[in-house]
Amino acid sequence: MADELAGKTVGERIQILRERRGKSRPVVAGLVGRSPEWLKAVEKGRLRTPRWEKLVELAGALGVRDVSELTGGPPPPGSTERCSHDVVPVLREAIEETALAVSAEACPTPAALLDRTAEAWALWHSSPTPRKAVGAVLPQIIRDGRRAARVLDGSERREAHIALSAAYALAEQVLAWVSDSALLWLAADRCMTSAELADDPIALAGSAWVLGNVWRATGREEDAVRLVDDAAALLEPRLDAAEDSVRALWGACRLHGSITAARLGREGDALRRLDQAEAMANRLPADYAHPWTLFGRANSAVTSVSVQVDLYRSASAIDAAEQVDPESVPSVDRRARLWLETARAYHQRKDRAATLHVLQRAVRAGEESMRCHPVAREIAGELVPRTLRNRAEHDGMSDSAVPCPRPVRVPIRYRAGEVGEASRVVHTAVWTSSAVYLAMCGAEIDGHRAEVVVSGMPCVPCVRELALRDDRPDRSDRVVATSEEFRLPR
């Protein structure tokens, strides 16, 4: 069996083992809570390799004792455990603590709670360390919101629950990828409960977006799609007369469903919902962004990249990414995610140099976010061999990063419009800490004026210099990038 599986992809291994055991796709897919179409797409390589938890389920359904028979080796570093963060214990205390008696003295007003929650959401989107920053203010907002919901009556109590639902929604965002699933579920459930007690359609739709995030992350994708579709239907009668925030929340539900459908391998459903969301984004002001979901034109464009990657359409994803100006994305975390999704696209194409380079850009855009995100950790673990990580630890380097063993050369050219078309030759260059590409021909190109490409007319001096350097016995380069410039999250 070992020889038969040698050199096979994970999807091919799953198909071989399934057929060896005489099990049909509908049977195996049903045992792991997926559709036969999803399993076929995994086997044929049209969807990315399932997460480790799902591979464990597939191994059980196939009667395989060791998951390495499916993967061909041990799990990538970072794929089987969550990153930890100091924000988890303080949020856990605020969410889980029980107060049997509360005092009505100095009770915050619903308006004050709503303002504080809105400020916390703005901090989440603007801070380079969003979890650390929000962790300093959100626990007290949750405590005050719970007290107000107990003390106030009538319409004020409902308004307090609206603010509390928004606070729990932010808690879910903060805890994603860094907390245990039980605490994440509790935050999402309390978000929905507060919205139900508020009896407010907008709060209910927002909490459905939050709960859908948790359902999607824990293997309940079909339920997540149905939930956000129901939320969109709840908002539809209000779209014409409502404020921009209501239309944006409807669009966010459509984007949510698009991503989930893409991960299920349902291309038509994913692209249809994406088109609907983009049409709604075009009805909003050009620079509008929803305070929670960031729905607007920029975020719709970022999500388009994610959808294309999840559909395993890496070329379309790269094309979509090239159309997005990162500076137009009104969130540090989302800007980092744009680079991460682009890195995923290059990773699908097995372009290690471009993947490493773009992942580096993601880390520069939002180091805290990338350290916590499992996809960033997984890609970094696959790119950097274990021996190099052990060497870094032996040399006393930070546990939060690993070095690239040598300068990474990437093909780049000027972006369209920066220079004339005749000057947009493809240079071979390395990225430096001063945000400049140093080309082999000696050209220096500002990072914001350049783009990483797959092919194109090469720069002849770059080719000549590269050949000369590679022929030298010591392989030394005059253009170098230190290991400090290529540090990735573990």
Side-chain angles (χ1 to χ4, degrees):
M1 181 185 297
D3 291 339
E4 185 181 3
L5 297 178
K8 300 295 185 181
T9 66
V10 173
E12 291 169 339
R13 286 169 174 264
I14 292 171
Q15 182 172 358
I16 291 171
L17 292 169
R18 177 180 60 78
E19 293 174 347
R20 178 179 289 274
R21 284 157 176 75
K23 294 186 176 182
S24 66
R25 281 199 185 103
V27 168
V28 175
L31 289 173
V32 298
R34 290 290 196 273
S35 67
E37 292 76 16
W38 174 86
L39 182 56
K40 181 178 181 180
V42 170
E43 291 179 348
K44 301 302 182 184
R46 296 197 300 271
L47 286 180
R48 66 180 181 182
T49 301
R51 296 194 186 279
W52 187 258
E53 295 83 355
K54 186 59 65 177
L55 288 174
V56 172
E57 293 182 30
L58 282 166
L62 295 170
V64 175
R65 293 183 179 181
D66 190 345
V67 184
S68 65
E69 289 190 45
L70 297 184
T71 62
S79 64
T80 60
E81 59 183 18
R82 289 178 180 266
C83 176
S84 61
H85 198 284
D86 293 341
V87 74
V88 175
V90 294
L91 270 178
R92 183 189 302 278
E93 183 179 354
I95 294 172
E96 293 184 348
E97 69 182 9
T98 300
L100 299 181
V102 295
S103 172
E105 295 182 3
C107 178
T109 64
L113 283 172
L114 288 167
D115 288 343
R116 289 166 60 192
T117 305
E119 290 171 358
W121 270 105
L123 187 61
W124 169 254
H125 294 309
S126 62
S127 173
T129 55
R131 285 176 172 82
K132 180 180 179 180
V134 172
V137 298
L138 185 57
Q140 191 58 47
I141 295 175
I142 292 175
R143 290 188 177 96
D144 290 346
R146 294 178 67 182
R147 183 155 61 95
R150 292 274 299 278
V151 171
L152 300 175
D153 293 316
S155 61
E156 286 190 327
R157 172 175 286 187
R158 288 193 294 274
E159 290 176 8
H161 276 298
I162 291 174
L164 189 55
S165 179
Y168 281 129
L170 181 53
E172 183 273 332
Q173 294 285 288
V174 174
L175 293 171
W177 316 126
V178 297
S179 83
D180 56 280
S181 58
L183 182 58
L184 194 62
W185 270 104
L186 182 59
D189 181 68
R190 290 199 172 178
C191 176
M192 177 61 78
T193 299
S194 293
E196 290 172 344
L197 292 171
D199 194 24
D200 179 76
I202 299 173
L204 285 166
S207 62
W209 179 82
V210 170
L211 187 57
N213 287 333
V214 179
W215 280 0
R216 182 173 62 202
T218 54
R220 295 180 59 181
E221 287 91 344
E222 295 286 357
D223 291 335
V225 171
R226 285 193 292 270
L227 182 63
V228 294
D229 281 352
D230 289 345
L234 181 65
L235 295 175
E236 280 177 2
R238 300 167 173 81
L239 292 181
D240 292 334
E243 299 177 350
D244 286 338
S245 60
V246 178
R247 286 186 283 272
L249 189 53
W250 183 92
C253 289
R254 279 291 179 255
L255 286 184
H256 193 296
S258 177
I259 293 174
T260 310
R263 294 183 184 178
L264 289 169
R266 289 159 37 185
E267 181 174 329
D269 289 342
L271 297 180
R272 175 172 56 83
R273 286 175 169 85
L274 183 62
D275 289 343
Q276 292 171 339
E278 290 177 344
M280 180 59 75
N282 289 330
R283 293 177 56 183
L284 300 173
D287 59 349
Y288 179 84
H290 186 269
W292 289 18
T293 67
L294 284 183
F295 181 84
R297 297 184 188 182
N299 193 54
S300 295
V302 174
T303 304
S304 175
V305 180
S306 301
V307 170
Q308 299 293 347
V309 175
D310 284 328
L311 291 173
Y312 228 82
R313 298 170 53 167
S314 57
S316 297
I318 293 170
D319 289 343
E322 290 178 349
Q323 305 305 313
V324 184
D325 177 7
E327 296 305 317
S328 70
V329 182
S331 165
V332 172
D333 177 75
R334 291 299 292 170
R335 283 197 291 273
R337 285 292 298 275
L338 170 62
W339 289 112
L340 176 59
E341 296 303 313
T342 309
R344 285 179 60 203
Y346 281 112
H347 191 240
Q348 287 179 356
R349 300 171 73 91
K350 304 187 186 306
D351 189 336
R352 292 173 59 87
T355 301
L356 184 58
H357 167 73
V358 177
L359 188 58
Q360 162 69 11
R361 299 293 293 268
V363 174
R364 288 181 182 277
E367 181 176 351
E368 185 195 72
S369 296
M370 292 301 98
R371 287 186 60 181
C372 296
H373 201 289
V375 173
R377 291 157 58 84
E378 182 177 340
I379 292 176
E382 292 178 5
L383 287 175
V384 183
R386 170 67 68 179
T387 54
L388 292 175
R389 232 182 341 270
N390 292 341
R391 187 185 309 164
E393 293 171 0
H394 180 270
D395 293 341
M397 296 186 66
S398 168
D399 283 344
S400 66
V402 292
C404 176
R406 58 175 177 154
V408 177
R409 298 164 177 166
V410 292
I412 60 106
R413 68 182 177 191
Y414 281 100
R415 290 184 178 274
E418 293 288 341
V419 294
E421 190 62 32
S423 300
R424 296 183 69 213
V425 293
V426 177
H427 297 274
T428 301
V430 294
W431 176 253
T432 72
S433 57
S434 56
V436 171
Y437 288 103
L438 296 182
M440 295 295 134
C441 65
E444 298 184 10
I445 304 174
D446 290 339
H448 70 276
R449 302 182 65 196
E451 62 183 357
V452 178
V453 295
V454 177
S455 62
M457 180 65 68
C459 168
V460 175
C462 277
V463 174
R464 184 183 301 117
E465 180 65 16
L466 187 61
L468 289 173
R469 294 181 184 193
D470 286 344
D471 285 343
R472 292 171 186 159
D474 61 356
R475 298 288 298 276
S476 62
D477 285 338
R478 290 195 301 271
V479 180
V480 297
T482 67
S483 62
E484 291 293 324
E485 296 176 57
F486 290 95
R487 298 167 67 85
L488 298 175
R490 292 186 64 189

